[in-house]
Amino acid sequence: MTDLQFENVSITYRSSSDRGDVVAVEDVSLDLPAGATLGIAGESGSGKSTLIMSALRLLPKSARLEGRVLLGGQDIRELSFGQIRAVRWAQASIVFQGALHSLNPVREVGSQIIEALEHHSKGTWTTPQKRRDRMFELLAEVNLETSKSSAYPHELSGGQKQRIMIAMALACEPDIIIADEPTTALDVIVQKQILSGLARLVAERGISLLMISHDLAVLSAVCANLAIMRHGRLVEYGPSDEVCLSPQEDYTKQLAGAFPQIGDPESRLNPRTLKPAEVVRAEPFTMTDEVVLEAKNLSVSFDTRRGRERAVRGVDLQLRKAEILAVVGQSGSGKTTLARSLLGLQEVEAGSQLSFAGKALPKQAKALRAFRRKVQMILQDPAGSLNPKRSVYEAVVEGLKVQGIRDQEYERVIGALEAAELTPAEDYLESIPQELSGGQRQRVVIAGALALDPQVLIADEPVASLDASVRGEILSLFLALKKNLGMSALIITHDLGLAWNIADTVAVMKRGEIVEYGEVDRVLSDPQHEYTQELLAAVPRLGSQSLVRNE
Amino acid sequence: MSANTPAEAAPGPSSNEPNPRGSETRGSDPRTSGRAGPAVDGAKLVRERRMNNAKKNWALFRSDVPALIGAVVLLFFIVIAIAAPLIAPASMLDVTKQLDVPRYAPPSLDHPLGTDDLGRELWVRILWGARVSILVGVAATVMSMIIGTIMGLAAGHFTGLFGGIIMRIVDFFIVLPSLLLAIVLSSVLERGVFTIVVAIGLTSWASTARIVRSQTLSVESRLYIERARILGAGHFHILFRHLLPAVMPLVLANTTLTVGGAIIAESTLSFLGLGDTSKESWGTILKNSMDVSAATSGYWWYVLTPGVAILLVVLAFTMVGRAFEAIINPALRSR
């Protein structure tokens, strides 16, 4: 069994850019005894990935390491290249971040698992037949059918790919598994499966687990100890229940609060953030009975190689003025297709009725353009939604130009940016997306939509790719937009906590159908449909290593 | 709904800071001031940023020595091409006026680049040939780039039947032996410089179209195109505001690389006797030299001079083109 110790580790990236040397990790000491589980939480840029990469000496050449990283009592800096190769995978292995892109798209996944075995045959899996058997063994261990070994990565779902990655990490029976955001981009149900799989392996095999995530609840569900990192420094460290349930540091409290506990009245319609958006109206708008956007019997099908697949089946949905409606479901449940068809971006089946303000959705290009002035959509990834070559001003003004709104261009842009809480707006006009943080980019995208003065905003996973603290800010912005401008919003998410935070009503989608639909308070505190119950149960709760002990 | 516009609901710039631009606008009629004052402001910001970008790129270009050498060589040839009538009057090409000049004179002080079979000075012929060669090279390239960009954008942007048909047309021109087509075109059409331009332009755009199409396809799948659609944009906006600017750098880099090919193609056609025989061009000089078996008779200057001229110009265009490519694609810089 192998211990992993970080002793006063500092890591600096040399950089020739204006920023000079970047200190990624500063004086961090952590201890992972054999068989233990440790979670490191922190936001992007906190240095958590850099820290764990140092454990296997996987840092780029520009990184300088100070302090000691001990693997099984041996300083990894003193190992020769051959020795470090032997250590990688045989003693410690990594499940990389963005595992969904870490698989070779042109090779069968089974042979990719075998690849790890070929490099580290360790005298055990010496013949191709033995390696094949071991590969099937590994697939069984991560609950995948043996037939999946001949599948190509694109034929697998996100959760299945993640399991292949875990099988690869397990291949050579390592003592330590390092998992870098293993469940980001997966929905709650798959997340639960992956986490409980990991927890089971840890318990049965005595493997030590070092896991990184930005989500405290995910970590606390599996790990016994938690470390919180910020700006490269260790903020708090201790048993996970203590850190989560009675945090000492403000920063930990903020992280813990960012993901709301469903059922907790304090976070209902109140996303926790240090920078809440201002409500300027004396009498904020509240949900009315006036229906703005309505879908009746909406069905959408796609032609696939396996024939026609129905992504959305007979959905009835109503969005009222100043209502925030959350559509919740797993990935692949047809949420995004539903949103696209509400905007007229997707062809719908005959018999579907879509109407806006009582009138059927137009078909001609010109009328659609006018319609889109009133109904706007915000896409999933703020980084991709902005043309990298165009400044903030150009991005926001684009909608005005397209819609042929010529007067008061400058004022409208400034007004929209300020409504999206990007202040002072003048300072941002010339920035290009690359110079902005994720949260700022999302605000620019929102401002671009607001510039058209829409009545309805459709947002597809608006906070999924953002850090915990930014998440609160953006959610409070949605609430403020509703209260200040009387805007209706349809928010698509896989995160039930988001619905609890800001939505008035929630629709739960499964396989293209809405299985439960109603007010948030009622649906989330007293779910009727078993799928809603299943979704709710899968949401990791803070503290108590819930997934490990449930098993 | 107007009472709820973000511009009015949000605290405007005028309310919390003494911004003369903002307060002036608020005070006066919004319609006129919106156009006259701040509206210009936004556009000005955009222009300034583009100027800065251009300056940055220029600095990058200047730091590239081969590109500078290429640019100087190009400039030299362009200047002598334009100034040809001033440096050497057209009469110097008139055979009837060159009766007392020795034929096949090797390069010497009296005849810097030697003379040809009719006693004409080769340097004069190179000078006048530069006009046609460079003109045809650039014009044919511009034509091929315009066709290639339009076809590539259309093939990438429009899906379904229309895009498919365009792509088949592109494929057709790719598999066609372009030199053969150019020969056929220039022998069918009326002889002249314009015919050569058309023949080269029509046969060399297909590869550009392919490059543009693949770039278009990759940009087309970006979320900001989807966002533009959500904002209500039609084909026109997406094609000319997003796709064209995205493929333009690629097209420009490709242009400088293609000019060299076009100059060689022009020389080839002239060499084969398909050019305008009444006009000097480097290819024509080469053809004349072959007609009198200059290479085997030891008149090396007759063959070498036009050949080196072609080489220099093509090389210069390539060096400049590579620098453009490196500016667009930073990943190439360190190679």
Side-chain angles (χ1 to χ4, degrees), chain A residues 278 280-281 285 321 340 343 345 369 372-373 375-381 384-391 393-396 398-399 401-403 406-412 414-416 418-419 424 426 429-430 432 444-445 448-455 484-486, chain B residues 1-17 19 21-22 25-26 30-31 33-35 38-43 45-46 48-50 52-53 215 222-235 237 240-243 245-247 249 328:
Chain A
E278 242 180 301
V280 288
R281 261 180 93 93
F285 281 98
K321 189 169 162 55
R340 285 175 53 93
L343 256 174
L345 285 169
R369 177 172 303 180
R372 287 196 188 132
R373 187 176 168 182
V375 181
Q376 272 295 305
M377 179 163 166
I378 289 156
L379 297 166
Q380 194 158 6
D381 173 18
S385 314
L386 294 171
N387 189 333
K389 285 185 188 155
R390 305 187 128 205
S391 66
Y393 183 84
E394 285 171 288
V396 177
E398 184 175 2
K401 293 240 153 107
V402 164
Q403 296 285 351
R406 300 262 175 272
D407 61 318
Q408 283 184 292
E409 195 179 281
Y410 187 80
E411 285 80 3
R412 282 175 195 269
I414 294 284
E418 297 198 341
E426 281 90 350
L429 291 181
E430 282 173 81
I432 52 171
V444 173
V445 175
L450 290 182
L452 293 181
D453 190 11
Q455 293 170 26
N484 290 337
L485 310 177
Chain B
M1 198 61 200
S2 75
N4 295 334
T5 56
E8 278 153 289
S14 57
S15 53
N16 36 20
E17 54 177 289
N19 187 338
R21 186 176 58 212
T25 321
R26 296 265 146 178
R31 281 186 159 271
S33 67
R35 274 194 207 122
V40 179
D41 229 352
L45 286 176
V46 173
E48 271 170 15
R49 196 175 54 87
R50 294 204 174 135
N52 278 337
N53 271 349
Q215 176 75 1
R222 305 279 163 85
L223 275 179
Y224 60 79
I225 303 290
E226 173 95 353
R227 174 175 173 264
R229 243 177 229 136
I230 290 167
L231 289 170
H235 292 306
H237 179 90
F240 290 98
R241 298 281 149 175
H242 287 291
L243 296 179
V247 301
I328 304 155

Side-chain angles (χ1 to χ4, degrees), chain B residues 95 98 101-105 114-122 125 284-285 287-294 299 301-302:
Chain B
V95 190
Q98 311 291 330
V101 187
R103 299 162 61 205
Y104 299 122
T115 58
D116 65 3
D117 53 325
L118 297 173
R120 289 173 293 190
E121 291 284 351
L122 267 176
R125 291 195 72 184
T284 318
I285 305 177
K287 176 186 159 36
N288 295 157
S289 80
M290 200 199 65
D291 287 344
V292 297
S293 319
Y299 311 133
W301 58 91
Y302 203 170

Side-chain angles (χ1 to χ4, degrees), chain B residues 233-269:
Chain B
H235 292 306
F236 186 84
H237 179 90
I238 290 175
L239 276 171
F240 290 98
R241 298 281 149 175
H242 287 291
L243 296 179
L244 188 63
V247 301
M248 231 21 226
L250 200 76
V251 172
L252 279 180
N254 210 20
T255 304
T256 49
L257 297 176
T258 313
V259 170
I263 290 177
I264 292 174
E266 189 274 336
S267 306
T268 311
L269 290 178

Side-chain angles (χ1 to χ4, degrees), chain A residues 1-5 7 68-76 78-79 91:
Chain A
M1 286 286 117
T2 319
D3 302 340
L4 176 64
Q5 282 167 294
E7 279 182 13
R68 298 205 302 166
V69 181
L70 300 171
L71 195 65
Q74 215 177 359
D75 193 333
I76 59 126
E78 284 157 16
L79 298 174
Q91 278 184 43

